[in-house]
Amino acid sequence: MRAQRSQVAVVGAGPSGLLLSHLLAAADVESVVLESRSEEHVAARVRAGILEHSTVQLLTDAGLAGRLRAQGDEHRGIHLQWPHERHHVDFVDLTGRSVWVYGQTEVQKDLVDAARARGQDVRHEVADVALHDLAGDHPHVTFTDASGNPQRLDVDAVVGCDGAFGPGRAAVPEAVRSSWSRTYPYSWLGILADVPPSTDELIYAWHPDGFAMHSMRSATVSRLYLQVPNGTDVADWPDDRVWDALATRLGHGQDGWELTPGPVTGKSVLPMRSYVQTPMRHGRLFLAGDAAHTVPPTGAKGLNLAVADVALLAPALAALLREGNPALADAYSDTALRRVWRCTHFSWWMTTMLHTSGDPFDEQLQLSQLRWVATSEAGAAGLAENYAGLPIGF
Ligand code: FAD
Ligand code: DHB
């Protein structure tokens, strides 16, 4: 087994892992990123689409926002609607902050380009990643490299940026970890379509048939979602059925608004879950992003929360490893969890306000709440502040 050394082992080359390695390098901390999938596989995963204000600020400060600012689309707010009514919630007017439409695939591409440009050590297609001696000051990671050779990496800290199914979460001993979760009784069917968006800004629509959303990726690519039952098979949703349901739920024909259908280039079903695991640090193991928490997608928080975690973690690791100052590292879990729980609540709130569950009493409460949020400045400001994003250290 070949033994190597670095300061930090980062498990996972998704957005949290690659951004962390970038921020660490900028702070003169060396890291190796270990990823089980191929670079092409990670790059092709279609996921989040909305970057909140502080994410854009952080990427800008890190020198990673050139393409985002040139090709992304800045939005002032969202449209919130229910049958016969559509209201614009203007985040800029309400909070002074905007959001940007820029796909996670594009963020990932920018992070990969930046990693390549600075010669970052990112190893794809590794297997059997196992984390050892996390309670002491000298942890190590073992893995099998892409050629099938066993490897050992000795480090000062290990960061699990390995999503909901990686080894990071489980490496916090059961005796010290707590978790909270909620599984929702519905899923999203998402499509990507080669058609210009039929709306200027995102539409979030409550409808008796179920939630629908109209998002986008560019001036020529639309991204749309439908609430569907858990266990839905995409084979039961041919393109015509998807467009018909979207037209009904999004209000095609109302007040002259029309949904333009187009060729569907991708279709998948996404289950919805809330999950939080604490603490986000155990000894020399730190968790960031989906490794520590999952939110249902309705509030567009998953990617933004991952970015906020590593924005806190990078300076904490730099202080610990370069100056021997543990204060920020010791505070990391509690500080990050304040925002995690805020976003967990907001994502749950958006989800339960907009998805139908078949209970007629709940439906009336949802409609009452939607009207309040869309038409009262106090109600709208709460949604706007959470959606456009609270400060990183909230
Ligand atoms: P990930 O992006 O999951 O990255 C983790 C990485 O770790 C992966 O590349 C994985 O291959 C790697 N890994 C896992 N196990 C190992 C191992 N054993 N060894 C080495 N590497 C490993 N958020 C939104 O805001 N809006 C959306 O519409 C939306 N859609 C989503 C759709 C899907 C299908 C999923 C799964 C998530 C979606 N999210 C969405 C959430 C958002 O994409 C995530 O919050 C975000 O990707 C978190 O980034 P991350 O780097 O923490 O985790
Ligand atoms: C997108 C996904 C979301 O979950 C959301 O709330 C807004 C937009 C998207 O994929 O574009």
Side-chain angles (χ1 to χ4, degrees):
M1 182 178 289
R2 258 191 72 210
Q4 300 147 76
R5 235 209 87 72
S6 184
Q7 285 175 290
V8 180
V10 177
V11 185
S16 61
L18 283 188
L19 180 59
L20 179 64
S21 73
H22 186 91
L23 298 177
L24 288 176
D28 262 337
V29 176
E30 204 181 77
S31 64
V32 174
V33 184
L34 303 173
E35 166 62 51
S36 56
R37 312 304 294 254
S38 69
E39 188 178 311
E40 299 69 39
H41 177 94
V42 177
R45 289 190 300 221
V46 178
R47 291 183 169 179
I50 297 287
L51 304 185
E52 63 185 48
H53 179 84
S54 56
T55 299
V56 174
Q57 201 56 53
L58 181 99
L59 293 173
T60 303
D61 293 347
L64 293 165
R67 226 163 53 88
L68 155 60
R69 289 194 176 268
Q71 295 174 22
D73 199 10
E74 187 173 16
H75 284 196
R76 291 184 66 90
I78 57 167
H79 300 286
L80 206 52
Q81 77 170 49
W82 55 95
H84 313 299
E85 291 196 43
R86 180 178 293 172
H87 298 264
H88 187 246
V89 179
D90 194 308
F91 305 156
V92 178
D93 281 350
L94 290 158
T95 70
R97 299 199 293 274
S98 62
V99 297
W100 285 69
V101 172
Y102 193 64
Q104 185 167 330
T105 45
E106 304 310 306
V107 174
Q108 186 73 25
K109 214 177 286 171
D110 295 342
L111 288 168
V112 167
D113 288 349
R116 197 162 281 141
R118 67 167 192 275
Q120 174 67 43
D121 191 346
V122 184
R123 312 208 190 155
H124 284 91
E125 298 179 73
V126 305
D128 313 319
V129 172
L131 319 180
H132 309 274
D133 297 335
L134 299 165
D137 289 346
H138 305 290
H140 71 276
V141 178
T142 53
F143 59 98
T144 306
D145 70 19
S147 311
N149 302 312
Q151 303 278 359
R152 171 181 169 137
L153 181 62
D154 287 277
V155 289
D156 301 315
V158 177
V159 185
C161 290
D162 47 355
F165 306 104
R169 243 180 215 195
V172 179
E174 256 178 67
V176 299
R177 72 178 190 238
S178 301
S179 64
W180 295 261
S181 68
R182 169 127 333 155
T183 301
Y184 299 87
Y186 29 72
S187 302
W188 276 11
L189 182 130
I191 62 161
L192 206 55
D194 275 340
V195 60
S198 300
T199 178
D200 56 344
E201 298 195 336
L202 272 60
I203 304 172
Y204 284 75
W206 183 98
H207 190 275
D209 293 354
F211 171 71
M213 181 167 71
H214 192 331
S215 182
M216 59 202 71
R217 286 292 177 274
S218 69
T220 55
V221 176
S222 296
R223 176 88 167 136
L224 300 107
Y225 297 97
L226 283 172
Q227 176 185 343
V228 291
N230 285 343
T232 290
D233 183 349
V234 283
D236 293 334
W237 284 84
D239 298 355
D240 286 352
R241 183 179 178 200
V242 173
W243 285 114
D244 284 351
L246 286 167
T248 302
R249 299 187 197 182
L250 290 169
H252 176 86
Q254 281 168 32
D255 299 325
W257 182 80
E258 292 188 348
L259 176 68
T260 309
V264 174
T265 58
K267 195 186 291 173
S268 59
V269 172
L270 169 65
M272 296 171 83
R273 189 165 185 237
S274 296
Y275 178 88
V276 180
Q277 178 175 306
T278 67
M280 288 172 64
R281 182 249 177 120
H282 174 69
R284 286 291 175 109
L285 170 69
F286 298 81
L287 300 178
D290 276 22
H293 40 73
T294 308
V295 288
T298 324
K301 286 294 158 214
L303 174 59
N304 293 295
L305 213 41
V307 168
D309 285 351
V310 299
L312 291 173
L313 186 53
L317 287 174
L320 180 70
L321 303 182
R322 284 173 46 90
E323 298 151 28
N325 179 351
L328 291 175
D330 289 348
Y332 168 69
S333 181
D334 287 347
T335 310
L337 282 165
R338 288 204 298 263
R339 195 171 211 280
V340 168
W341 276 114
R342 176 87 300 280
C343 293
T344 298
H345 176 269
F346 177 66
S347 304
W348 165 86
W349 180 74
M350 286 286 280
T351 300
T352 53
M353 176 169 68
L354 286 159
H355 292 73
T356 50
S357 63
D359 182 317
F361 181 71
D362 283 350
E363 286 189 7
Q364 295 308 316
L365 295 182
Q366 288 176 318
L367 289 166
S368 168
Q369 179 163 261
L370 276 166
R371 177 171 297 285
W372 176 65
V373 165
T375 61
S376 140
E377 190 171 327
L383 186 148
E385 185 175 42
N386 282 280
Y387 195 111
L390 291 146
I392 296 272
F394 167 79

